[in-house]
Amino acid sequence: MVQLYNLHPFGSQRVVPCKQEPAHFCCGRDVLFVASAAAGCRVEVFAVRDQGRCEPLGSFATLGPVLRMAHSQAGDYLVTIEEKSKATFLRAYMNWRCMSAGSSRVCVRMVGHKMEESYSETLKEQMSIVEMPLSDPPLCISCCPVNGDLLVGCKNKLVMFCLKHLVINQNLTVLDFERSLILHVDNLIPAEVAFCARHIAITTELDVLILKLELVQQSADRTEQCAHRVSTLEKPMGGGAKDEGPSTHTLPLELDEFIVCQKPVELLGEESKLCEIPITLESTELPTEDTKCFQVRYLLFRRFTPDQSPFGFCEETKLHSVQLLPVYQTGSSVTACEETENKRELLSLFCFFSLPHVGYLYSVGKLVELISTYQYSEKSEQAVLTPQFLHVVTSENLQCFTVRCSAAAARDEDPYIDTTVKACPPVALDVCTLRMQLFIGPRAICHFKNHIILLTKADTEDITERRKPARRMLSRKADSTKSRTNSESEPGWNLYIINTVSTIQLYREMVDYSRTYENIKTESCIHLLSEAHLLVRAAIMDPSFHKSDEKEELLRAFRESCAFLGDCYSRCDTKDYHLALPYYRMSGLSMTEVLKRLVSEVDEIQRYERGFIFYLTHSLNEDLNEELSKESANKVLQIFYLADPLQLPHILCSPCMRNVCPLTAVKYLQKVEKIMPSVVLTLTKAFMALKMGDLTTYEHEMDSYKEMLCSNGDNTIPQLLVDFWEALLVVCSQEEIIQELLLRVTSQYVWRISKKQIPETKPLKTTEDLINSCNYFGLICPWVTSIMSVGSPSDKDYCEDISKLQSLLCSQSINIASVLPVLEPLREAGNVGLTIHVLCSTRLGKYEEAIDQLLKRCPDAAVLYAQHELKDDTRALWWNKLFPELCKRTRLNGNDCPVLISSLKETLSVVAMELELRDFLSLLPEDGTAAFFLPHLLHCSQRKLLT
């Protein structure tokens, strides 16, 4: 479903001062290229300034009329398909910017032509036109935005040209191409292609095929790998009867009076191999040491039928506007100040294509899936996808839709999204139309930064003809525009450059608009605030964000949008109420600030929704650095007394509630005890009495349930007392008492694990709760988790006690030497005992003993242990202990233990990065297999060369 809002994403518009009617246009970096129609045979170049001002830079002649054109940001070149004397030519225009400096010199050369050094000075000051001859006429083109490689679509094949940087001398580098690969595709005539990071999208009139070229390891039989053919499968798609004719997507019509329509098909991932479109790869580059071999992986195949659309005639149902949109990593490998085009790391990839009345957006990166479907109110002419919007040209409008690219990319980048730490609106959130801007005769569109270039052509006769199939749907009448009989003879066209408003301005408008839904608490408020959040998130993920003048304002807007979404999920009774917690955490608001936003200052009874209670419960248990004031703490008591009185004992144990009035707390506890008495309430009352210094009340409360708090003669400690000790650890600050409590809970954990004793009642706090609320419980090491993942099924019955014990030992709080006697019963307890033994050895500094134990009993975890524990002063143990031990054990076991071989390879990778070449070479065993160690030796030497 597409929601419709009447917002204002479009700002001012200007007319591009073209001298002749445009046939094609495209954008590149800071310029606009416009190819003139018909007999013009020229390309005009305009510099795009602030607010969409266009300044002519000049123009250059083409061989003939331009049929297709594209600009590559990588390499800054323009590539065209031109026609002359009924023949088509593929040409690339290099160094065209010198034209704006007044130079009229042009050099025409063949692709791959060797340039002499004597031309160096000339090449600097002239435009170069590279001719790329092909055996078949070029039909469509696409440039890779990542590396500048060029893909050309021809009948039954695709040709890939690699962009080369040729160093003529130290002062001059020239761009050229090398024809590197041909993809032979049987019975396919591409209408459009898109190319990005070795991903290829191909469309015919009704079919879409998306492929990926994957690198394969070179072998002795290089020809077999470089000419990899994907076999044709026998069974046709859709599970129907076998097709015994030629390829299904080009089935010839034997009878003119019949139209044969294939069934609609969607094949994703591995299933797309069933599309029956065989592909042969032919490598055409000169073989060198750096030559790459590829194989094809099918990602998606989709076939449409002419009668699938509810609008229009069969012959009008054709695909258009195929596009691959990359989203880049936002700084994991490159710092903000170093971010450049060449260092961008691809994070996610999206593919868009459209039928006349519906568009489809897929994610084709780590996972291939349909993200969004766009329904248009009118027949579309062209569409362009950006990280923030989808702009669609229909028969009468320029329409602006929201997209979900940033939602999908954020999940690819950050594993903490969709947890209690971070959140992001769902990828499946309904898209919306932000604006439908009326234009007369819109025909074509392209996008450039925050500008949209739109070609309109007021040809009444033509527009009327195109509207006939959908005429009943349109509210405007066809005769509302002036009639012209010949569009070519009269200047009925305009090329506009339309500015999109700034992200901040549109964000503010969305937030203001959402307030119309605020009081009625509908999902529409959440939907519009989610759109605003994704708009800002997309701007932050843009590679130019770190250089943006709006950087700080965007970050503030991001935090503000998180706070607004937190408010919505706290106030609205929605199934996603739990999202209040991560959104408030991302907003940077403190608990006190959130209380001020949501709790009335007037002393009145409010209704508190589940989202707010969920946020408060987790924050009080996990956010230990904030102490609430006395007033705020008392207000929290009142909130939980009204919303969830059973939580009062747990809330009062939170360090955030240190300033609560004990007398007020006891009053609330007494009220709850009259309705639902429990041991936990009594213990909490005793704790509050102790806090007030009222020893009489404390002793009275403790005596009330004395029989439950004492041992029963079998050395069995009730779980309730263990819960009490764990709660004291959260609030206690005296070191002597802390160590005594740690020893007691450790003894109890060990006793229950060794005796296979299950607690008589469910523990009040899980291991995760204690890690989040108590500094004496640490995060469990990854290698411990790895060992436990292959443990005995019986251990699962005591997993809570096991993980609590491991968490204590992973922290630096407990005195290991003092608890060793207590841990003795677990020494032989399988994988549990192994983790306890290794943790103790590690905390005592006995790393070599720990490594020996792991290699003997669980070699899978040895490298993971080293990665986590062997750092700084102990890093040398990688090559002084772990590597020699692995070599010795691998030699003894041979190929019978693949785990050891895998661990040895990982260890070699680390050691090769750390040691100098000579030291690394001296480590290698004399009887080792050269083929096994050689890649690591080469890696070590290459690293040395680079440094």
Side-chain angles (χ1 to χ4, degrees), residues 251-260:
L251 186 68
L253 303 180
E254 306 233 348
L255 299 173
D256 293 340
E257 60 268 29
F258 291 101
I259 296 177
V260 178

Side-chain angles (χ1 to χ4, degrees), residues 508-556:
R508 295 291 176 209
E509 187 181 6
M510 285 179 164
V511 170
D512 291 342
Y513 199 122
S514 71
R515 293 196 173 108
T516 59
Y517 303 105
E518 192 173 27
N519 294 327
I520 51 179
K521 296 183 179 179
T522 64
E523 291 292 327
S524 295
C525 182
I526 294 177
H527 185 276
L528 200 47
L529 286 173
S530 297
E531 294 286 11
H533 175 87
L534 289 175
L535 182 75
V536 176
R537 187 184 279 274
I540 291 174
M541 296 185 80
D542 190 277
S544 62
F545 164 71
H546 295 290
K547 300 176 183 177
S548 171
D549 296 335
E550 293 183 328
K551 178 180 176 181
E552 293 303 321
E553 201 170 357
L554 283 169
L555 290 174
R556 280 195 300 271

Side-chain angles (χ1 to χ4, degrees), residues 134-260:
L134 296 166
S135 59
D136 293 290
L139 303 176
C140 44
I141 49 176
S142 179
C143 303
C144 174
V146 177
N147 55 29
D149 291 350
L150 172 65
L151 185 72
V152 184
C154 306
K155 182 180 179 181
N156 296 336
K157 66 182 176 184
L158 304 172
V159 184
M160 189 172 83
F161 291 88
C162 287
L163 183 65
K164 300 290 185 180
H165 296 260
L166 304 178
V167 179
I168 304 299
N169 54 49
Q170 61 181 0
N171 299 318
L172 179 64
T173 300
V174 176
L175 296 180
D176 197 9
F177 292 96
E178 180 182 6
R179 185 185 339 219
S180 59
L181 191 67
I182 300 177
L183 292 83
H184 296 277
V185 188
D186 291 352
N187 300 310
L188 183 133
I189 302 177
E192 292 182 321
V193 292
F195 188 36
C196 180
R198 299 205 302 271
H199 290 74
I200 298 170
I202 316 161
T203 61
T204 62
E205 287 190 355
L206 292 172
D207 293 355
V208 182
L209 178 63
I210 303 178
L211 314 165
K212 183 181 181 183
L213 296 173
E214 293 186 327
L215 286 172
V216 294
Q217 292 184 351
Q218 297 186 31
S219 65
D221 188 359
R222 175 180 169 76
T223 306
E224 183 181 346
Q225 293 205 352
C226 289
H228 178 80
R229 182 175 181 90
V230 181
S231 61
T232 306
L233 300 176
E234 292 182 1
K235 291 185 180 180
M237 299 167 297
K242 290 187 179 182
D243 177 15
E244 298 185 3
S247 181
T248 58
H249 59 291
T250 55
L251 186 68
L253 303 180
E254 306 233 348
L255 299 173
D256 293 340
E257 60 268 29
F258 291 101
I259 296 177
V260 178

Side-chain angles (χ1 to χ4, degrees), residues 855-901:
L855 289 174
K856 179 181 178 182
R857 298 174 59 184
C858 189
D860 303 54
V863 173
L864 198 57
Y865 170 85
Q867 290 170 342
H868 191 266
E869 304 292 350
L870 302 185
K871 300 174 181 177
D872 303 326
D873 295 342
T874 60
R875 197 160 187 81
L877 291 174
W878 274 96
W879 49 89
N880 290 336
K881 175 66 178 179
L882 183 59
F883 178 69
E885 284 292 331
L886 283 170
C887 286
K888 182 174 73 176
R889 293 169 190 267
T890 304
R891 187 184 294 110
L892 291 174
N893 290 274
N895 294 327
D896 296 333
C897 191
V899 171
L900 288 173
I901 295 173

Side-chain angles (χ1 to χ4, degrees), residues 666-679:
V666 170
K667 287 179 181 178
Y668 278 116
L669 291 169
Q670 287 172 342
K671 289 180 181 180
V672 177
E673 192 174 36
K674 289 178 182 178
I675 306 169
M676 293 172 286
S678 71
V679 176

